[in-house]
Amino acid sequence: NAGVTQTPKFQVLKTGQSMTLQCAQDMNHEYMSWYRQDPGMGLRLIHYSVGAGITDQGEVPNGYNVSRSTTEDFPLRLLSAAPSQTSVYFCASTDSLSTDTQYFGPGTRLTVL
Amino acid sequence: DAKTTQPTSMDCAEGRAANLPCNHSTISGNEYVYWYRQIHSQGPQYIIHGLKNNETNEMASLIITEDRKSSTLILPHATLRDTAVYYCIVKQMGIKAAGNKLTFGGGTRVLVKP
């Protein structure tokens, strides 16, 4: 198993540009989520999904969209990037059938100029 | 979700046990205690979790007090690779539960020294 994969690892955007952060998991987990982590801070939940076709907002959803068309993929879209969105983004999937353990991807480091 | 309180930082000598405390005095009966850690620049990594009994796995031991208001994560023989930020999180278990999301606080920054 590859676990949770994220692409790209690094990205630089200009203010106003849009982009999609990719996240995929091969563990057949229903629950997936996106977090952001600002320097020196803990993780904050952006959006999550409890299964294909179902998404919901977390603590800091503004400026981000998500969709979940398949169990495996959970992309995060930035519609119009702002400097305040400079952060490290982590995707996670949850083994909700047993231990509720969350498995995190390696992260995408995003800088918005 | 119940709130947790952890020390901001602690040092530990390599090869010695590291004991990381966590207070969760408002924990409810159906909330579990989870521990994760984050090594610099990596995604968080699950360590262990428990409800009321002490738990042990290949990474660590979790000791939960009888009243469940606090817990201690024990790394039995700390190595330099255990240097990380350790997060104590309380949450309900189950995808349908409203409290299923992980709420990360500040954690404890553990530095293992040679």
Side-chain angles (χ1 to χ4, degrees):
Chain A
N1 285 351
V4 180
T5 58
Q6 292 184 238
T7 57
K9 291 186 178 179
F10 300 94
Q11 183 70 50
V12 179
L13 293 177
K14 294 181 179 178
T15 297
Q17 287 184 315
S18 63
M19 81 158 295
T20 299
L21 280 61
Q22 302 292 342
C23 174
Q25 52 95 5
D26 61 359
M27 297 173 281
N28 202 33
H29 291 164
E30 290 188 7
Y31 188 99
M32 296 184 72
S33 48
W34 276 102
Y35 295 86
R36 62 176 286 176
Q37 186 172 34
D38 299 327
M41 306 283 288
L43 280 74
R44 292 184 292 170
L45 182 66
I46 305 172
H47 285 285
Y48 64 96
S49 168
V50 299
I54 306 170
T55 63
D56 206 345
Q57 297 181 349
E59 305 170 69
V60 288
N62 292 339
Y64 307 95
N65 277 357
V66 291
S67 60
R68 185 92 180 273
S69 56
T70 67
T71 299
E72 294 78 20
D73 300 297
F74 190 41
L76 178 72
R77 280 184 288 277
L78 283 70
L79 301 177
S80 178
S84 61
Q85 294 178 305
T86 294
S87 190
V88 182
Y89 291 84
F90 291 103
C91 178
S93 72
T94 301
D95 179 12
S96 55
L97 296 180
S98 59
T99 63
D100 235 25
T101 299
Q102 290 202 13
Y103 297 88
F104 286 82
T108 294
R109 188 174 297 273
L110 176 68
T111 300
V112 183
L113 302 175
Chain B
D1 292 339
K3 185 178 178 179
T4 63
T5 304
Q6 300 177 250
T8 303
S9 65
M10 63 182 295
D11 293 345
C12 177
E14 186 180 20
R16 304 294 288 269
N19 296 307
L20 283 63
C22 179
N23 286 324
H24 32 79
S25 59
T26 60
I27 192 170
S28 60
N30 62 350
E31 287 182 317
Y32 287 70
V33 180
Y34 283 79
W35 283 83
Y36 283 76
R37 72 179 183 183
Q38 186 173 23
I39 297 170
H40 182 62
S41 297
Q42 298 182 20
Q45 177 189 24
Y46 166 81
I47 301 173
I48 199 168
H49 76 286
L51 182 62
K52 54 184 178 181
N53 297 323
N54 298 337
E55 302 287 345
T56 295
N57 63 19
E58 65 278 5
M59 290 182 67
S61 295
L62 174 61
I63 309 297
I64 302 174
T65 58
E66 192 168 344
D67 64 6
R68 302 209 323 124
K69 295 187 179 207
S70 65
S71 60
T72 301
L73 178 75
I74 302 172
L75 307 177
H77 304 287
T79 70
L80 299 180
R81 289 177 295 178
D82 292 322
T83 291
V85 179
Y86 287 76
Y87 296 98
C88 169
I89 299 165
V90 293
K91 64 179 282 294
Q92 297 174 33
M93 184 183 286
I95 195 171
K96 304 296 183 188
N100 188 54
K101 66 180 176 69
L102 287 179
T103 301
F104 287 83
T108 297
R109 190 171 299 273
V110 174
L111 176 62
V112 180
K113 297 182 176 180

